[in-house]
Amino acid sequence: MQRYLWQQAEGLRHAYDAHRTPLDLGVTFPTLCGAEVTTSRDDIGKWLRPTCHTCDREIRTRLGLA
């Protein structure tokens, strides 16, 4: 299993620590950008939503990517 995963929630694609946070519909979870977001039915299948830039920067830093 990958350590960090992406999840659409509250209008953006956020990254989260998959080892710490089990996800299910309606669950509020901490993201790598520090926000607490909740998944909803409106988020299902919306993978083309904008990426949270702060989550993107944080995941790159944690994985040692440019």
Side-chain angles (χ1 to χ4, degrees):
M1 183 166 126
Q2 292 179 342
R3 175 68 190 253
Y4 303 107
L5 297 175
W6 291 94
Q7 175 63 46
Q8 65 273 26
E10 299 183 11
L12 291 173
R13 287 180 55 236
H14 287 279
Y16 68 98
D17 186 336
H19 290 188
R20 294 182 9 171
T21 309
L23 283 188
D24 202 357
L25 192 61
V27 169
T28 299
F29 63 98
T31 64
L32 297 187
C33 69
E36 295 274 333
V37 297
T38 305
T39 59
S40 73
R41 289 198 185 282
D42 293 336
D43 297 315
I44 295 173
K46 306 272 174 63
W47 289 105
L48 296 179
R49 285 193 169 164
T51 297
C52 170
H53 294 294
T54 307
C55 279
D56 186 55
R57 184 176 60 242
E58 183 63 26
I59 200 169
R60 289 171 185 272
T61 298
R62 292 181 185 205
L63 295 176
L65 303 172

